[in-house]
Amino acid sequence: MAVITEYDLSGFVCPLSKVKAIQLLESLEDRETAKIILGDSESLKSVAQELKSRGLKPAFEQNGGSKFTLTVTK
C-alpha cells in the first residue's frame, strides 16, 4: 500500500504557497502520493494550475471553510 505524505502549506499565501508546493512535488519519487493542504482559494487556483501544466490531475476536497486539500500522485 502506498504511503501518503501530508504537507500543510495553509500558513503560506500565494505565491509562496505555490513555490513550496512545486518544491515538494519535485522531491517526490515516481508514484509517490502527497496531500497538499492550502489555506486560501488563490493558492488553490495557482497550485492546481501548476499541477495541470505538469500533466498531474489532483483530487480536491474542501476542509471546513478555508482549507483545501489537493491529493496528487507523481
Side-chain angles (χ1 to χ4, degrees):
M1 186 170 166
V3 175
I4 299 176
T5 308
E6 191 170 282
Y7 300 92
D8 188 347
L9 303 181
S10 63
F12 299 100
V13 293
C14 204
L16 188 55
S17 55
K18 180 181 175 181
V19 171
K20 294 281 188 187
I22 291 168
Q23 287 173 343
L24 72 88
L25 281 172
E26 290 175 348
S27 71
L28 292 178
E29 300 292 326
D30 285 343
R31 294 187 291 282
E32 189 176 354
T33 300
K35 274 189 165 189
I36 303 169
I37 301 168
L38 301 165
D40 64 282
S41 59
E42 194 58 41
S43 293
L44 173 68
K45 289 177 197 169
S46 184
V47 173
Q49 271 186 326
E50 181 63 31
L51 293 172
K52 270 187 169 177
S53 74
R54 293 169 181 253
L56 300 170
K57 294 186 173 113
F60 161 80
E61 65 184 81
Q62 186 168 359
N63 309 327
S66 62
K67 287 194 179 180
F68 305 93
T69 302
L70 293 174
T71 303
V72 63
T73 302
K74 186 170 179 184

